């Protein structure tokens, strides 16, 4: 399959004659997952027949040849949950081996305020307004107009793999509601809402094993876990924990009637709807994927990478976004799972011209070949089964997002995780939940902002 996109006007601004005389660029990364239901891509790539691995390998080779550099990838063997701590202890000990870090969002972002990473605002050659960088996402994970400590976009294939979505079983949908394309049409017309999801989930439940209990072996309307899947529904309903002022400083926006209404609806869906199977942890997520694979549910919550675990599914499935709260919500919203990887540099980085050129060219080549390989070939042809779900994936790609409170967790007293926290602890009253946390959240947030701005 030719994964190169059509030639367009957009190209990089790197000078043609760059030659770095074989300079070594050392890249720190990891592939080990701490959660059994997660998986990370090996960014070194490999000529092993897998279309994404080969696209990554070829991207890296292209960068080496065009810039005359030697990219040395080191898979450090660190587990994903330990990445932040490993980076901190390495930088703090004065280890200057690595030029580029590929880190996990949820446990590494907070290291910024400890002076571990370098500000990339003036990094040579990197132009975040180019389409291969996610300008919006980069802005959202930094504070202040003069700070840029993290980069992401096409250079990080995990950003795309971690876009949230839902899967639906076409055979079950057809049995109850007719042509599965109708569900796509509901989505594309902007009418896919929490209320509709709740109704479908209720109607499809069946006591298949006939024991008059809601338990394993029944058919469910919805399978989901009680942590990252709730984030998908929470942000999918258009909620935001923060907004920005004119100086690009975040402030809290969560305390409103809409949040209270969404949380009531999510509580009903998760705890009062017979057709919902809510499981805990990574093992629960794996079981949900297995059950969906075996035809025991109409819907499965997840992320685009979940499709990698549905390759053997015999019944056809489709992909749709998480629902809006109601039809007045302007757009769908697809939160990126917080295990997404970000690019950053150690404070001690010195080869700035070489690093800037390598990152810009890597991102550009990823945009041209790696993203199409994953997104077009893997997602649209190999895993998904039809043309309409391809349109939906484009829609998900257009609306992927994050919130700095989701990225920095404890620095906002975990208000970015409000949805999962309330559902896991069986709470439906948002006003009560928020009032106990607002003061501490404001205090923590102030500390983060001050620490960020003191770096300028």
């Amino acid at each position: 399959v030719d994964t190169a996109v059509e030639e367009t006007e957009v190209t990089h601004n790197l000078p043609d004659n760059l030659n770095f005389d074989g300079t070594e660029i050392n890249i720190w990364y990891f592939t080990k997952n701490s959660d059994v239901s997660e998986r990370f891509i090996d960014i070194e790539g490999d000529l092993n027949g897998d279309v994404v691995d080969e696209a990554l390998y070829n991207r890296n080779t292209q960068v080496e040849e065009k810039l005359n550099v030697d990219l040395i990838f080191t898979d450090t063997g660190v587990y994903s949950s330990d990445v932040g701590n490993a980076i901190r202890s390495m930088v703090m000990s004065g280890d200057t081996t690595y030029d580029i870090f590929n880190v996990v969002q949820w446990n590494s972002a907070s290291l910024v305020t400890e002076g571990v990473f370098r500000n990339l605002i003036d990094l040579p050659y990197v132009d975040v307004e180019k389409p291969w960088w996610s300008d919006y996402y980069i802005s959202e994970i930094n504070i202040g107009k003069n700070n840029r400590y993290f980069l992401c976009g096409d250079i990080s294939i995990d950003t795309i793999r971690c876009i949230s979505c839902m899967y639906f079983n076409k055979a079950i949908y057809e049995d109850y509601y007719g042509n599965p394309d109708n569900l796509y049409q509901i989505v594309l017309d902007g009418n896919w809402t929490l209320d509709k999801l709740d109704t479908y989930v209720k109607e499809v439940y069946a006591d298949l094993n006939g024991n008059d209990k809601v338990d394993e072996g029944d058919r469910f309307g919805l399978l989901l876990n009680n942590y990252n899947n709730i984030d998908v529904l929470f942000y999918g309903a258009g909620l935001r924990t923060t907004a920005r002022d004119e100086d690009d400083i975040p402030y809290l926006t969560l305390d409103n009637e809409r949040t209270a209404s969404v949380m009531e609806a999510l509580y009903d869906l998760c705890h009062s709807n017979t057709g919902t199977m809510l499981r805990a942890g990574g093992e629960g997520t794996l079981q949900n994927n297995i059950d969906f694979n075996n035809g025991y549910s109409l819907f499965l919550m997840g992320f685009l990478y979940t499709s990698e675990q549905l390759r053997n599914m015999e019944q056809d499935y489709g992909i749709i976004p998480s629902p809006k709260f109601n039809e007045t919500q302007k757009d769908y919203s697809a939160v990126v799972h917080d295990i997404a990887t970000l690019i950053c540099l150690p404070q001690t980085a010195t080869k700035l011209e070489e690093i800037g050129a390598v990152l810009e060219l890597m991102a550009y080549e990823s945009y041209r070949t790696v993203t199409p390989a994953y997104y077009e070939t893997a997602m649209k042809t190999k895993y998904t089964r039809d043309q309409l779900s391809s349109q939906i994936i484009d829609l998900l790609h257009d609306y992927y997002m994050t919130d700095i409170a989701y990225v920095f967790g404890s620095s906002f007293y975990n208000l970015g995780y409000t949805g999962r926290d309330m559902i896991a602890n069986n709470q439906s009253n948002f006003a009560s939940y928020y009032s106990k946390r607002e003061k501490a959240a404001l205090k923590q947030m102030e500390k983060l902002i001050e620490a960020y701005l003191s770096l300028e």
Side-chain angles (χ1 to χ4, degrees):
V1 178
D2 179 12
T3 57
V5 293
E6 287 177 30
E7 289 302 321
T8 63
E9 298 286 317
V10 188
T11 187
H12 61 74
N13 294 328
L14 294 169
D16 289 339
N17 58 351
L18 281 182
N19 183 337
F20 294 120
D21 301 319
T23 300
E24 289 184 354
I25 301 293
N26 285 283
I27 301 168
W28 187 105
Y29 77 107
F30 69 98
T31 52
K32 278 192 174 175
N33 52 316
S34 304
D35 183 314
V36 292
S37 63
E38 294 162 5
R39 189 173 78 85
F40 295 90
I41 295 280
D42 190 327
I43 58 172
E44 185 172 14
D46 194 0
L47 295 177
N48 58 6
D50 180 271
V51 73
V52 176
D53 288 345
E54 295 209 350
L56 284 161
Y57 181 89
N58 292 329
R59 170 198 74 175
N60 298 334
T61 305
Q62 283 276 66
V63 172
E64 287 181 322
E65 288 174 1
K66 285 184 180 174
L67 299 177
N68 191 8
V69 292
D70 185 11
L71 300 181
I72 300 172
F73 290 86
T74 304
D75 184 350
T76 52
V78 172
Y79 281 96
S80 57
S81 59
D82 298 329
V83 165
N85 290 332
I87 295 283
R88 178 196 288 112
S89 53
M90 187 167 52
V91 174
M92 294 306 192
S93 73
D95 187 333
T96 58
T97 307
Y98 297 99
D99 303 299
I100 297 169
F101 293 141
N102 188 57
V103 302
V104 182
Q105 178 180 295
W106 73 267
N107 63 38
S108 303
S110 59
L111 298 181
V112 165
T113 59
E114 299 175 34
V116 170
F117 300 132
R118 183 180 191 95
N119 192 350
L120 309 179
I121 199 82
D122 295 320
L123 192 65
Y125 304 120
V126 170
D127 181 357
V128 298
E129 292 182 6
K130 293 288 192 182
W132 40 91
W133 297 109
S134 180
D135 192 14
Y136 158 74
Y137 206 100
I138 290 168
S139 298
E140 188 59 39
I141 56 183
N142 290 286
I143 294 175
K145 291 178 177 172
N146 300 313
N147 287 318
R148 184 186 297 146
Y149 287 87
F150 300 107
L151 295 170
C152 66
D154 289 272
I155 196 169
S156 311
I157 188 68
D158 283 323
T159 306
I160 289 165
R161 290 178 65 247
C162 288
I163 296 172
S164 58
C165 62
M166 295 180 69
Y167 297 84
F168 74 98
N169 180 308
K170 291 186 175 181
I172 297 175
Y173 187 91
E174 195 161 10
D175 285 349
Y176 279 79
Y177 307 109
N179 190 342
D181 288 355
N182 296 343
L183 182 54
Y184 288 129
Q185 206 51 57
I186 289 168
V187 170
L188 295 169
D189 290 343
N191 300 329
W192 177 233
T193 62
L194 270 176
D195 198 37
K196 280 200 172 68
L197 173 63
D198 193 62
T199 302
Y200 284 148
V201 169
K202 209 171 271 151
E203 288 175 350
V204 163
Y205 172 77
D207 180 19
L208 293 185
N209 56 19
N211 64 359
D212 295 325
K213 287 184 195 161
V214 179
D215 59 6
E216 309 280 342
D218 291 349
R219 181 174 59 242
F220 289 92
L222 173 65
L223 302 168
L224 76 167
N225 68 40
N226 67 356
Y227 62 122
N228 55 49
N229 288 179
I230 307 299
D231 304 335
V232 175
L233 287 161
F234 180 86
Y235 288 105
L239 295 185
R240 291 295 311 237
T241 312
T242 63
R244 300 289 175 122
D245 67 17
E246 64 279 4
D247 297 315
D248 204 36
I249 307 299
Y251 60 91
L252 295 177
T253 56
L254 195 59
D255 188 17
N256 55 59
E257 282 180 24
R258 183 190 175 86
T259 308
S261 302
V262 169
M263 286 315 305
E264 278 178 30
L266 290 187
Y267 181 88
D268 286 347
L269 175 68
C270 294
H271 291 298
S272 307
N273 191 323
T274 316
T276 299
M277 169 58 87
L278 183 71
R279 289 187 169 113
E283 296 288 354
T285 307
L286 281 185
Q287 190 56 52
N288 285 342
N289 296 348
I290 291 166
D291 286 355
F292 184 75
N293 236 325
N294 292 333
Y296 283 113
S297 180
L298 173 57
F299 294 112
L300 172 72
M301 295 303 300
F303 303 89
L304 290 183
Y305 68 73
T306 307
S307 65
E308 295 159 22
Q309 294 170 16
L310 303 178
R311 291 186 193 198
N312 302 322
M313 186 162 168
E314 287 178 15
Q315 293 174 315
D316 276 352
Y317 65 80
I319 297 178
I320 54 174
S322 185
K324 298 177 177 182
F325 173 45
N326 55 35
E327 289 174 14
T328 62
Q329 183 178 321
K330 185 169 176 284
D331 295 317
Y332 295 102
S333 178
V335 72
V336 174
H337 187 191
D338 61 4
I339 64 168
T341 56
L342 307 173
I343 298 290
C344 48
L345 269 55
Q347 184 60 262
T348 53
T350 52
K351 308 167 194 167
L352 298 183
E353 192 186 357
E354 293 93 329
I355 292 168
V358 163
L359 292 178
E360 184 70 4
L361 194 54
M362 262 186 155
Y364 170 71
E365 292 294 346
S366 297
Y367 169 75
R368 287 185 63 252
T369 60
V370 180
T371 298
Y374 180 75
Y375 184 55
E376 299 289 340
T377 310
M379 285 308 309
K380 292 184 176 180
T381 311
K382 196 169 172 184
Y383 301 160
T384 63
R385 314 296 170 90
D386 57 74
Q387 201 50 44
L388 273 166
S389 56
S390 299
Q391 287 180 42
I392 301 289
I393 292 166
D394 290 338
L395 183 151
L396 291 170
H397 194 269
D398 290 343
Y399 293 121
Y400 82 77
M401 56 77 69
T402 194
D403 187 303
I404 194 164
Y406 185 60
V407 176
F408 278 83
S410 60
S411 296
F412 292 81
Y413 205 60
N414 288 331
L415 285 182
Y417 295 113
T418 291
R420 69 159 79 174
D421 197 29
M422 287 183 66
I423 295 303
N425 292 296
N426 231 342
Q427 292 173 276
S428 60
N429 187 325
F430 170 74
S432 161
Y433 176 90
Y434 186 83
S435 64
K436 291 174 186 158
R437 288 163 177 79
E438 183 182 45
K439 197 173 167 188
L442 287 168
K443 199 171 168 185
Q444 293 296 106
M445 183 175 77
E446 206 49 54
K447 274 166 67 177
L448 175 70
I449 292 166
E450 280 173 19
Y452 232 113
L453 297 184
S454 72
L455 298 166
E456 289 188 1

